[in-house]
Amino acid sequence: MSTPPTGPSTSAALDGQLVNTTLLPPNIENAGANSPLNALFGDNPYFQAGLGLMGFGVGLTVLRQGSILGLTALRRRMLVSLEINNKDRSYAWFLAWMAHQASASSKGLKTTPWVRSHQLSVETAFEQRSNGSSSVLFNLVAGPGTHWFKYRGAWMQMKRERETRSTQLMSGVPWETVTLTTLSRDRNLFPGLLSEARDLAMQGQEGKLVIHSAWGIEWRPFGQPRRKRPLSSVVLAEEVSQKIKQDVQAFLKRRQWYADRGIPYRRGYLLHGPPGSGKTSFIQALAGSLSYDICLLNLSERGLTDDKLNHLLSNAPERSFVLIEDIDAVFNKRVQTSEDGYQSSVTFSGFLNALDGVASGEERIIFMTTNHIEKLDPALIRPGRVDLIELVDDATPTQARTLFEQFYGGDDHFSDVTQEQLRNIAESVQQLVEKEMKEGRRISMAALQGLFIRNGPTDVVAACQQLLVSRQE
């Protein structure tokens, strides 16, 4: 006895076998066979051969490139970038500004917020003093990489990049760039930020003397800015000090006068005299009184060539004196040698051409010093290369008295000595130096200064007698 079917299945006998079939709605059963995708991909021999996959990939590539172009266009419209390379002065100013923000923030001071970065670089400032002491200062600045900071309510991205595969041709320093990116609406903040960085850099130099040294073909600050020395603190013969100062001031006022007559606007000075007479000290004090800086040029530096020398002299920082000390020790019979026998690449003719040749720069003041003017080649000190030659000699009687009064006059430290006694001692020092000068004995200003530093006023006369030496020594 057979049982009737209870579900949507039925049985059929085919060739003596029982076969179960499932009853499906006609539309569902034929949906897959009639689908457009099945017609396109399932039974399409071209798609099965790979052309369909290739077309699908091309479509994705086009979509990807379109999105990139769209993002680029959006970025150009909504963002603005400012690039600063390390050839520009504002490059160092900006990095110093960033370092200042981080340092001040770590001390709890109110500064521009800066997201602390893990990519830092160190800049070391080293100063070697003439007395043998030295000082080292470390500045942590933003290193190569991406940094974020907030300036006046606007977020900015700072990206520092360094090109390690190529360097600057003359200096050998790698190329570096800093790129600042912010919203286009905040582009007006860039000038204010750079001005703030400049003012911060200038603040450390305000009222101070900056010494520059040659670094390849560039001038870079050497050590920390120094406090300006008053010109009155360097005691020279009255006519010498006034003559040089008045000549420099007259030159600075005659720029247009030189231009109208087609004369190169440059001036050269040579100060000669025995060691310790105050030549370099006077140049330093004169630069400070005129708010000028000093560029120290060492012609014996290894690697310095004629073209680099010409470039340095033609690109000296504005408002600066170029100082070349002991010029008599640089060239020996027109061949430059050093103490260890090393011969520099700077030739005598190249040095002369750098001073006043066709390619030499203008708007320049050069000071040279020497202890032996008789050793200098006449071609070096001819007019046009050296416009004013002045002797800075050992202490005169008037100089000795003036220096004594500067050290001891009006100083309460020597309360046991009356002003009348100080005047008498100053008179005695003056008479002693005058007497010894007539006998051919001299004393340098440096020796007098050291004497006054070490001794009290009552011991000066006896100690000064021992320091006086003959002129030949």
Side-chain angles (χ1 to χ4, degrees):
M1 178 175 163
S2 62
T3 304
T6 59
S9 300
T10 184
S11 300
L14 297 176
D15 298 332
Q17 299 180 353
L18 184 62
V19 179
N20 293 328
T21 61
T22 303
L23 298 180
L24 297 174
N27 57 338
I28 297 178
E29 182 179 3
N30 298 328
N34 298 330
S35 173
L37 294 177
N38 184 52
L40 179 61
F41 300 119
D43 299 330
N44 193 323
Y46 298 103
F47 183 82
Q48 294 176 351
L51 294 178
L53 292 176
M54 182 181 68
F56 186 69
V58 170
L60 291 179
T61 301
V62 172
L63 181 62
R64 179 175 177 272
Q65 293 295 330
S67 62
I68 293 177
L69 293 176
L71 290 175
T72 301
L74 185 63
R75 178 185 176 88
R76 290 179 177 176
R77 185 169 183 84
M78 297 187 62
L79 301 180
V80 60
S81 296
L82 173 67
E83 182 182 271
I84 312 172
N85 61 62
N86 59 343
K87 292 290 291 183
D88 193 90
R89 292 184 179 182
S90 59
Y91 181 85
W93 295 346
F94 174 77
L95 291 182
W97 179 84
M98 290 281 289
H100 175 75
Q101 306 308 312
S103 175
S105 178
S106 63
K107 297 178 182 179
L109 301 178
K110 185 178 180 181
T111 58
T112 299
W114 178 28
V115 176
R116 189 175 301 277
S117 174
H118 297 278
Q119 298 168 309
L120 300 175
S121 294
V122 62
E123 291 184 352
T124 305
F126 176 80
E127 181 181 2
Q128 182 70 47
R129 303 184 182 90
S130 58
N131 61 0
S133 63
S134 61
S135 61
V136 180
L137 180 65
F138 300 101
N139 292 323
L140 296 181
V141 299
T146 302
H147 312 266
W148 295 87
F149 65 94
K150 197 174 185 180
Y151 179 73
R152 295 184 181 179
W155 280 101
M156 293 188 180
Q157 180 196 69
M158 193 274 277
K159 188 174 183 181
R160 183 179 179 185
E161 297 176 299
R162 177 178 298 161
E163 178 58 58
T164 58
R165 292 174 297 178
S166 62
T167 59
Q168 300 179 29
L169 182 60
M170 301 296 290
S171 62
V173 178
W175 292 102
E176 291 190 8
T177 57
V178 163
T179 304
L180 303 178
T181 303
T182 188
L183 293 175
S184 182
R185 67 179 184 183
D186 299 322
R187 65 170 62 226
N188 59 334
L189 295 179
F190 286 148
L193 190 153
L194 295 178
S195 298
E196 189 174 318
R198 177 204 60 202
D199 295 341
L200 178 64
M202 296 297 102
Q203 181 181 358
Q205 302 176 4
E206 185 177 358
K208 295 183 179 180
L209 177 69
V210 179
I211 306 295
H212 299 269
S213 62
W215 184 275
I217 61 170
E218 297 179 349
W219 292 103
R220 293 189 180 182
F222 178 76
Q224 298 298 315
R226 306 180 182 184
R227 184 171 55 88
K228 292 181 180 179
R229 181 174 181 175
L231 188 60
S232 59
S233 67
V234 183
V235 182
L236 299 184
E238 183 66 23
E239 64 277 5
V240 174
S241 177
Q242 290 297 324
K243 183 178 181 180
I244 299 175
K245 181 178 180 181
Q246 291 175 2
D247 189 274
V248 173
Q249 291 176 333
F251 170 76
L252 296 177
K253 296 177 181 178
R254 302 176 72 185
R255 181 191 302 268
Q256 190 60 42
W257 187 90
Y258 276 78
D260 294 340
R261 288 156 180 79
I263 304 175
Y265 186 62
R266 49 178 176 256
R267 194 79 170 164
Y269 298 87
L270 174 64
L271 305 186
H272 67 98
S277 56
K279 298 182 290 295
T280 303
S281 299
F282 174 76
I283 296 172
Q284 178 180 343
L286 179 62
S289 67
L290 298 174
S291 298
Y292 267 57
D293 295 335
I294 292 180
C295 296
L296 286 176
L297 183 58
N298 181 14
L299 297 180
S300 300
E301 180 181 354
R302 297 178 186 268
L304 186 63
T305 59
D306 289 345
D307 55 341
K308 290 183 179 180
L309 174 63
N310 200 2
H311 183 86
L312 286 171
L313 292 181
S314 300
N315 294 274
E318 296 180 0
R319 300 185 63 84
S320 62
F321 294 160
V322 178
L323 175 59
I324 307 175
E325 297 186 279
D326 299 322
I327 190 66
D328 59 284
V330 175
F331 291 98
N332 181 17
K333 295 181 179 180
R334 298 198 175 194
V335 176
Q336 185 184 25
T337 57
S338 61
E339 294 180 357
D340 58 357
Y342 165 77
Q343 182 173 336
S344 173
S345 299
V346 177
T347 64
F348 185 75
S349 61
F351 177 56
L352 297 183
N353 290 330
L355 291 179
D356 69 342
V358 175
S360 59
E362 296 192 12
E363 300 187 15
R364 185 185 66 202
I365 299 177
I366 293 182
F367 277 89
M368 293 183 285
T369 65
T370 179
N371 297 329
H372 304 281
I373 190 174
E374 68 278 0
K375 295 183 179 180
L376 299 182
D377 193 292
L380 175 61
I381 58 177
R382 70 160 177 80
R385 291 173 180 149
V386 174
D387 303 288
L388 180 63
I389 301 176
E390 201 63 38
L391 171 63
V392 182
D393 211 342
D394 286 325
T396 64
T398 303
Q399 286 179 265
R401 178 169 185 164
T402 303
L403 189 63
F404 176 89
E405 293 173 348
Q406 284 191 359
F407 268 80
Y408 302 110
D411 195 341
D412 297 335
H413 179 70
F414 305 102
S415 57
D416 55 334
V417 182
T418 64
Q419 292 297 319
E420 181 66 24
Q421 290 175 321
L422 288 177
R423 285 192 293 268
N424 293 334
I425 297 174
E427 181 70 23
S428 300
V429 170
Q430 181 177 0
Q431 293 177 355
L432 175 63
V433 174
E434 184 176 4
K435 174 185 175 183
E436 295 294 334
M437 282 184 62
K438 294 178 181 179
E439 299 178 0
R441 292 164 61 85
R442 297 291 187 95
I443 186 172
S444 67
M445 292 296 293
L448 275 177
Q449 179 175 288
L451 172 68
F452 296 156
I453 291 175
R454 296 189 303 269
N455 297 275
T458 57
D459 302 326
V460 163
V461 177
C464 183
Q465 182 72 41
Q466 300 176 0
L467 291 178
L468 287 160
V469 296
S470 63
R471 187 61 179 263
Q472 288 74 23
E473 299 180 20

